[in-house]
Structures are given as structure tokens and as C-alpha cells.
Amino acid sequence: MEYLPVEVIGNILSGLGAARDVVVASATCRKWREAWKNHLHSLTFNSNDWPVYHELTPRKLEIIITQTIFQTNGLHYLSIIMDDVDEFCAAPVIAWLMYTRDTLRQLHYNVRTSPNINILEKCSRQKLEVLTLAHNTITGIEPTYQKFPCLRLLTLSYISISALDLSLLLTACPKIEVLTLVNLDVVMSDPQATMELSSNSLKDLYVESISLDKFILEADSLEKLHLKDCTLEVFELVGKGTLKLLRIDDVSVIHLDIGESAENLEVVDVSNFTIMWAKFHHMISKSSKMRRLRLWGVVFDDEDEVVDIETISACFPLLSHLSLSYDLREAALQYGLQGSFQLENVIVLELGWTLISDFFSHWVAGLLERCPILRKLNIYGIVSETKTPEECHSLANLTSFMVLLVLHSVACFSCSLKISFFSSSSGGIQIQVEYTRSSKLFDAL
């Protein structure tokens, strides 16, 4: 160890992450202390890493953090996450930020202070590339003064900010590529809760637990869009057709419009979502490059609506992964599987049920017949503890269908069948069937 260069030791200490571990390791010898002082690049204070953090008073914590940070030179990464810790005084926190601002590249900050600190003012006009803020208030953005010329990734969680300030903040980040917004308290200046964001460089947007009347995003370079657990009346995306991934999870939205951005979509993942299939399909129908389509736990706005698999086959010829789970009705067999179409490139098929019925096994068999090169089949479903006679009959039919799967898995070359049973959080049993094969499946069905 004595022959290790101090730069290498500094990299080793930086890899430890947690400040307590770094301090203990640096006490090894004089050379390690020198590495800590001059070659340490990363430091993390997290109240969840060490129970003692919760036993110390905020004043004690301030002293420990101050002494630790002030013994370093040239920090690139600083993370201060103080969950469930009382408020700190503003002065020492400002001192930490001012001491490290010239060299810092990444800042992860979750500290409550009294009074509130304008973090953006302390960190702007520097070389910061990644900024994560939580449980704070942001006010009075001045884009001409508070610029972030190098910022690529911005995460705001449990932040109180006005729609105007958020828009101005995005304007102050000319190179931003990834934006994450989680549970924001968006302050509106007018009765209609409208938020308009614009960025020419943004490539990835994740939005979770936000309620707005209208959300308009103008992003010419956006490639990934993920909306989760949001309540929106209107969501509009204005772009130039660069979107490749669209993920919607447990979102309530009356009007969803991604305009011309759907042409290059490769992945569409929709779950726990109420959709008008005809309108939704029209929105994504031009996505000829689609490779993965997932409609899981979706509810149709019109009970008579049916997912037309033939249309999916025609519109998405490159589709290789298909996942479907929704309330099956007789129309799904009569109209959803009509025609002699083939899902020629589908190699992974995932199917699920929410309410077990006799339609399910017929639906699975019909889809299998149309997947000539299928390699893997996953089936997910839940059987409730309390079953009606109809459910018992359907379960018996499904069991017979699984027996057929077993028989054919033995008959096919390099085939395997895996059936797993799990306890369901809502009661009953969750069944997962995994079928893997390399030759044609279900020739006899």
C-alpha cells in the first residue's frame, strides 16, 4: 500500500462514498490523509447511512459536516441528504456551497434550512453538470444572472416553485438533457393551472405525481417521455419527431397529444390507464419503427372498444415484444383476432388477466398461432381467494390449457415451461407462466 500514488488512494477514498467511511479510511496513515485532503473527489452525507446522524443535534451535524468538507480540496461530487433531520442554520450550509462551488460537478442536496437558502444563486454560473434538489422552495429565477451553462441533468423532488420560475429555470440551462420532476408544488399565478416548458436540448423527461390543468412541452430533441401518477386535463408535446420512448403509468389525462413526435417511436409502455383505443392508436399508428408495445392494466373508455391485433401487425412490422393485459370480452376474440395476419417478428409475448374468464385461454392460443418465431411466452394472472362457480370453471379450463403447454414444451426442441405461484397483495394467488422455446410452438393447436 505504501507504493500507491496519492492520486490512486484519492480514487479509492472517493469510491467509498459515505463521509464516515472516508474519514475512517483516511486515518490509516499520513499518505492517506494527504490523499483525503488533496485528491478526494466524492463525499456523501446521508442520514440513512448511519443511525448516529439521527441522534445528533442539527448544530453538531453542522460542525461535523463543516469540518469534513473544509479539509478537502477540489471536490467534484457532493451529496448532502438529511431526511427526517431538523432544520439547519443557513450560514454553515451557505459556507459548504461557497467552499465547493468552483470545482463541483455534481450536487445532490436535501437539507432544510432556516431561513430558506436560494440554492440556485449559490450554484449558478459554475461548472455544475448534475443538480438534484429536494424539499426546498425556489423563487425569483433570474435567467440573465442565474445561468447553468454546463448543467445536463436536473432533478427536482418535493419542491415548491411557480410555473413561471420553472420555465425560466429551464431557459437558464441551455445544455440540459435530462429533467426529472417529482411531486412538485406548482404555484400558479392565474386560476387555470397551466405550465409551459421549452427546451431545445432536452432529451429525457420524467414527471411523477403532478396535478395540472394544462401541461405544454416544447422540446425539439426529446427522445424519452415518462409520465407517472399524474392528473392532467391536457398534455401537449410539441416536437420534431425525435421521441423514441413513451411511458405512461397510472395517469389521468383527458386530452393527450404528442403531435408529430410519434413517427420515430420505438417503445410504447402504457399501464393502469384509461384510453380511447381508436384515438390512441391513431396517435401512434405512424410509428413504423415500433419494437416494443405494452398495454398493461388498461381500461377502455368505450366498453365496445377492442384492440385490433391485425392493425397492430400492419402498423408495426418490426414489433418484437408485445405485452397485453386488459379486461377481455367476447369481442376481443371475434374482432381482435380476425384475419390471417402474422406477428412475424414477435419473439417475446407477455399476456395477463385481471378477471379470469374462458376467453383468456382461447385468446392466448389465437395469439400464439400468429407468432411464428416466438421464443418466450409469459403469462401473468391473479386468482382471488373467493371464487364463484363461473370462476372455478374458468380456472379449470385454464389449468387444462397449462397442461397443453407442458405437453407441447416436452414435444418441442429446447423448450421449457415455468409456472410460479405468488401471494397477491389483494388476496389470492398470482400465477406466472414462463414458456421458452426455440422451435415452432403450438403447431397442433
Side-chain angles (χ1 to χ4, degrees):
M1 295 291 285
E2 61 183 287
Y3 299 107
L4 282 177
V6 287
E7 294 84 0
V8 174
I9 297 173
N11 290 334
I12 294 173
L13 292 175
S14 298
L16 295 176
R20 176 176 177 271
D21 296 336
V22 173
V23 171
V24 172
S26 66
T28 303
C29 63
R30 181 181 59 80
K31 194 173 184 179
W32 282 64
R33 285 193 294 274
E34 180 187 349
W36 173 27
K37 182 177 181 181
N38 296 315
H39 300 282
L40 182 69
H41 304 303
S42 176
L43 202 55
T44 299
F45 300 88
N46 192 322
S47 58
N48 297 316
D49 288 346
W50 191 29
V52 176
Y53 278 129
H54 293 281
E55 299 174 6
L56 299 174
T57 65
R59 305 294 84 79
K60 284 281 189 181
L61 282 174
E62 291 168 9
I63 294 172
I64 292 173
I65 295 174
T66 301
Q67 290 178 339
T68 306
I69 291 178
F70 277 40
Q71 292 184 64
T72 66
N73 289 305
L75 279 180
H76 293 172
Y77 176 102
L78 177 62
S79 177
I80 308 176
I81 310 297
M82 291 291 134
D83 287 323
D84 303 321
V85 174
D86 291 336
E87 290 182 340
F88 284 11
C89 291
V93 177
I94 293 175
W96 308 337
L97 298 174
M98 298 303 291
Y99 182 78
T100 58
R101 60 179 289 177
D102 291 338
T103 59
L104 213 56
R105 299 293 184 272
Q106 295 192 39
L107 174 62
H108 302 264
Y109 178 90
N110 179 5
V111 181
R112 297 176 179 84
T113 62
S114 180
N116 184 61
I117 297 174
N118 189 336
I119 300 297
L120 301 182
E121 181 182 349
K122 309 303 177 187
C123 301
S124 61
R125 307 181 310 283
Q126 302 300 317
K127 300 177 182 178
L128 204 63
E129 297 176 4
V130 176
L131 177 60
T132 301
L133 300 179
H135 295 102
N136 274 268
T137 300
I138 296 176
T139 58
I141 299 294
E142 295 289 345
T144 56
Y145 174 70
Q146 297 171 348
K147 284 188 175 295
F148 293 85
C150 301
L151 197 68
R152 296 179 295 101
L153 186 151
L154 174 63
T155 299
L156 303 178
S157 303
Y158 300 91
I159 295 289
S160 177
I161 186 171
S162 71
L164 177 60
D165 279 336
L166 182 56
S167 178
L168 293 174
L169 177 57
L170 208 56
T171 303
C173 306
K175 294 184 179 180
I176 190 168
E177 296 182 358
V178 181
L179 175 63
T180 300
L181 307 174
V182 177
N183 217 320
L184 294 190
D185 178 15
V186 182
V187 182
M188 295 296 171
S189 57
D190 55 72
Q192 186 180 20
T194 300
M195 184 164 69
E196 298 185 28
L197 302 180
S198 178
S199 172
N200 292 324
S201 59
L202 188 64
K203 295 182 178 180
D204 188 337
L205 174 64
Y206 176 85
V207 182
E208 180 180 347
S209 301
I210 290 181
S211 297
L212 292 168
D213 290 341
K214 194 171 185 179
F215 189 161
I216 301 175
L217 174 65
E218 185 175 348
D220 292 342
S221 303
L222 193 69
E223 297 179 0
K224 297 180 181 179
L225 173 62
H226 188 175
L227 304 177
K228 181 179 180 181
D229 194 23
C230 296
T231 302
L232 307 166
E233 289 191 11
V234 176
F235 180 88
E236 294 182 8
L237 171 62
V238 180
K240 292 186 176 180
T242 57
L243 192 65
K244 295 181 179 179
L245 182 148
L246 174 63
R247 182 168 285 123
I248 302 173
D249 182 7
D250 198 12
V251 173
S252 173
V253 59
I254 297 175
H255 177 73
L256 175 66
D257 183 9
I258 59 175
E260 301 299 322
S261 300
E263 293 183 1
N264 290 302
L265 273 174
E266 297 178 4
V267 179
V268 172
D269 186 339
V270 179
S271 58
N272 305 311
F273 184 59
T274 300
I275 64 174
M276 294 178 63
W277 172 246
K279 188 175 181 180
F280 184 81
H281 178 264
H282 176 74
M283 183 176 67
I284 64 172
S285 60
K286 295 180 181 179
S287 310
S288 58
K289 299 179 181 179
M290 181 92 70
R291 297 184 181 276
R292 294 174 180 259
L293 176 62
R294 184 172 184 264
L295 304 174
W296 206 263
V298 297
V299 177
F300 299 112
D301 189 61
D302 185 346
E303 291 185 358
D304 295 329
E305 282 190 308
V306 173
V307 175
D308 187 350
I309 309 297
E310 184 175 13
T311 304
I312 288 178
S313 173
C315 293
F316 314 129
L318 300 180
L319 194 68
S320 62
H321 290 66
L322 178 62
S323 304
L324 301 172
S325 175
Y326 45 82
D327 188 9
L328 287 174
R329 296 181 177 85
E330 187 175 359
L333 297 176
Q334 292 181 347
Y335 304 109
L337 292 175
Q338 64 183 355
S340 58
F341 67 90
Q342 295 279 295
L343 295 165
E344 296 181 350
N345 290 304
V346 172
I347 58 175
V348 176
L349 184 63
E350 293 183 318
L351 303 172
W353 75 77
T354 51
L355 295 174
I356 189 171
S357 69
D358 287 337
F359 299 129
F360 185 76
S361 56
H362 297 290
W363 182 59
V364 173
L367 284 169
L368 288 173
E369 290 176 354
R370 290 164 170 79
C371 300
I373 64 169
L374 188 70
R375 297 178 187 172
K376 190 171 186 178
L377 167 67
N378 286 342
I379 298 177
Y380 304 88
I382 296 176
V383 180
S384 62
E385 290 181 346
T386 305
K387 293 176 283 295
T388 64
E390 292 78 10
E391 289 176 328
C392 291
H393 178 74
S394 298
L395 182 59
N397 289 339
L398 180 63
T399 304
S400 300
F401 180 73
M402 290 182 181
V403 171
L404 281 176
L405 279 175
V406 174
L407 294 175
H408 283 283
S409 68
V410 173
C412 294
F413 177 72
S414 295
C415 291
S416 64
L417 179 71
K418 176 183 177 183
I419 303 178
S420 304
F421 297 86
F422 307 94
S423 297
S424 170
S425 58
S426 57
I429 301 297
Q430 179 178 346
I431 302 174
Q432 177 180 339
V433 179
E434 182 177 317
Y435 190 103
T436 307
R437 60 130 188 189
S438 61
S439 61
K440 287 191 176 181
L441 177 63
F442 280 97
D443 292 335
L445 279 179

